[in-house]
Amino acid sequence: MEGPMSKLSISENKHRQYGSEDDTKFIKTVVDLKQTLDPYHSGRRPGFWIRPLWQHMTPVLTSPLLFPPSNLIYSLVNLFLETTNTHLCLLHGPSFRRDVSDGIHYTSDNSVLSFSPNDPRVADRHQVGWEWFKQLRPLDSFDFASSGCLWDLQLFALMVLYMYGLSIADKCWLFAGMGIRLAQHMRIHRKRRTNKPWTPLDESLTRAWWALVTLDSYASSLSGRMRSANSDEFDTDFPALVDDEYWPGEFMADPNQPWTQPAGVVPKVTAWFLHLKLLEVYGFAQQTIYSVRRSEYWDALSTAARGHNVAVELDSALNNWVDAIPDHLRWNPHQPSEASAILYSTYYWVQSQIHRPFIVNADRSFSSIAICTNAARSCAHVLQAHHAAFHDITQASMLVAMLYSGIVLLLNAANSHYDGAVVSTPRDLEDVYKLMEMLQSQEEKWQVAGRYHDVIAEVFALLKAPKEKDSRKRKEQPDVDVDAQHLDWGALGLDDSSIDLTHNEVDNFMAWDGWSANSWEDLSDVS
């Protein structure tokens, strides 16, 4: 995997700058393997790659703001609080419902931002919510004479959540960073040094901070830009492990013991707390393994194997994280829960991200290749079990995990023709097929899911498909009995006439320095 291949352009913006952890460039490099890829780009469906006219925001002077009908507002609010908010915990459900019932959004600067995939009034499913979203002007409405408020922070986070599903996902990093900067201006990123009683507003601000940190972590990874807040730059406490209904002032709260979860009642917010702890591990990888430039002073203090040593320590941290998962959130493929599926798919994605830099060139490590591949397999199986049980995806992080699991499995298929590589199995091919099926099932709801499907399809079209390295390896894995020929690749828009990978094709592929950040390019703006 030595010389970089010649580059193909996908209408990237030449003025954008990216860091070494740019995941979108990694994906672009995968499909940029050789000039013969040209025909496969025609498989990109315009509905997922060309930004529609309605997504080009133009000034809309609407005062006061226009809102959906009341019955639809209540439906949207309930949908958001019962799905996305249960895993991000941005809004305090009871107080938010009260504010909506009181009509506070009509008399203040507060903006309701939710979208429903089941709104029958909208024909284009990708356009759901745009009628309300396009009115938002967070900078125009911001009072620069004030220090900001909770609604401002929540608005930035909600805008990021909405934009990710569309073809403007590249703007998520910008808006997440703006929210982080505003929160820092409000000093929410620092531990409070006062003995004043902790109030629901204090906890809501803390939740907004951690929601923005979560979104910033994903957005920076996917766009390859620096994080707006590294873990060593803030010391605010984690959110309280107390569910919404037990906050002070709520009907079920104990007035004598504020901020106390009743004994024997497992906090539903535990899953989000664990998610935050997991992203803290990944954040350290972003600061160290993926750093663009390391100071010469660090070189004097560290060893030549610094990167590998960091990966080993992070592996230990991940093991400790898994051991700390309570029983009710542990993954059970026979009784999957959405919370555990999100946690474990993110865990496998983080594990793969930690080891991805160490599988090429001088840093090539077969143990890292094995870890990446096994993580992709495990992640695919978690996602398949979740999808079979729920038939829906409510968290964007799961789409990201689908994309990377599929690509890692296909890359391993190409590498498997070389001695010492982790051998690909027919089950890997079936996993890729099912990942594409899941992405395809989400295309009406998530525009970005269609893009991810097309990216994997391009890689597959180039690599054709993996096969067992030899019959001896097949005998070593008697539990795998999958015939790639039975899979209906045509249903996914792929040519199933040749499901094999010749040695010459692998040789061409292996000339690609596919993990080098220097050859990555942006996928996000193709309009």
Side-chain angles (χ1 to χ4, degrees), residues 219-286:
S220 61
S221 177
L222 292 171
S223 65
R225 301 167 172 98
M226 67 183 72
R227 290 185 59 172
S228 298
N230 292 314
S231 58
D232 56 357
E233 297 170 346
F234 59 88
D235 61 353
T236 189
D237 293 326
F238 281 98
L241 288 175
V242 180
D243 290 331
D244 290 4
E245 56 268 31
Y246 304 112
W247 283 26
E250 297 303 323
F251 177 75
M252 300 180 65
D254 185 348
N256 299 318
Q257 293 181 307
W259 298 109
T260 302
Q261 185 85 1
V265 179
V266 179
K268 295 187 289 289
V269 295
T270 302
W272 187 43
F273 177 84
L274 290 171
H275 198 157
L276 295 176
K277 299 291 289 185
L278 178 59
L279 291 181
E280 194 171 43
V281 176
Y282 180 51
F284 188 76
Q286 289 177 294

Side-chain angles (χ1 to χ4, degrees), residues 505-522:
E505 286 172 320
V506 177
D507 287 339
N508 290 332
F509 173 80
M510 294 302 291
W512 161 65
D513 184 12
W515 303 96
S516 171
N518 294 329
S519 62
W520 292 345
E521 294 177 6
D522 185 24

